[in-house]
């Protein structure tokens, strides 16, 4: 997402949108572009896999250890 700021110090900046902005964007997509369930399935697949990849790349040692502890508590199937 980007934020556009006017003025002498303005420009277009990458921003971290809050949940309400993301929700508004999805609502607008449905309303104005008549998105189909297939459209959302495609979006979800791309968005979730990219997010998981970035999370794995950026995880700290402490976060990886915590995830390992969670897996151990839940047990294997």
């Amino acid at each position: 997402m980007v934020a556009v700021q006017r003025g002498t110090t303005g420009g277009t900046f990458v921003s971290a949108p809050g949940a309400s902005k993301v929700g508004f964007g999805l609502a607008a997509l449905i309303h104005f572009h008549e998105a189909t369930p297939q459209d959302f399935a495609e979006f979800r697949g791309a968005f979730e896999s990219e997010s998981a990849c970035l999370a794995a790349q950026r995880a700290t040692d402490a976060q990886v250890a915590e995830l390992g502890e969670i897996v151990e508590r839940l047990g294997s199937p």
Side-chain angles (χ1 to χ4, degrees):
M1 304 281 287
V2 295
V4 178
Q5 209 170 18
R6 294 183 182 189
T8 57
T9 60
T12 304
F13 304 93
V14 175
S15 67
S20 63
K21 284 194 178 193
V22 173
F24 176 77
L26 288 174
L29 178 65
I30 293 167
H31 181 72
F32 295 114
H33 297 287
E34 299 178 12
T36 66
Q38 178 64 29
D39 294 332
F40 284 105
E42 290 173 0
F43 169 79
R44 182 179 176 194
F47 181 78
E48 288 181 359
S49 62
E50 183 66 17
S51 296
C53 181
L54 290 171
Q57 291 172 353
R58 297 173 180 172
T60 65
D61 290 341
Q63 291 168 329
V64 171
E66 183 179 359
L67 287 172
E69 291 170 12
I70 292 169
V71 169
E72 284 183 28
R73 278 198 313 262
L74 293 175
S76 58

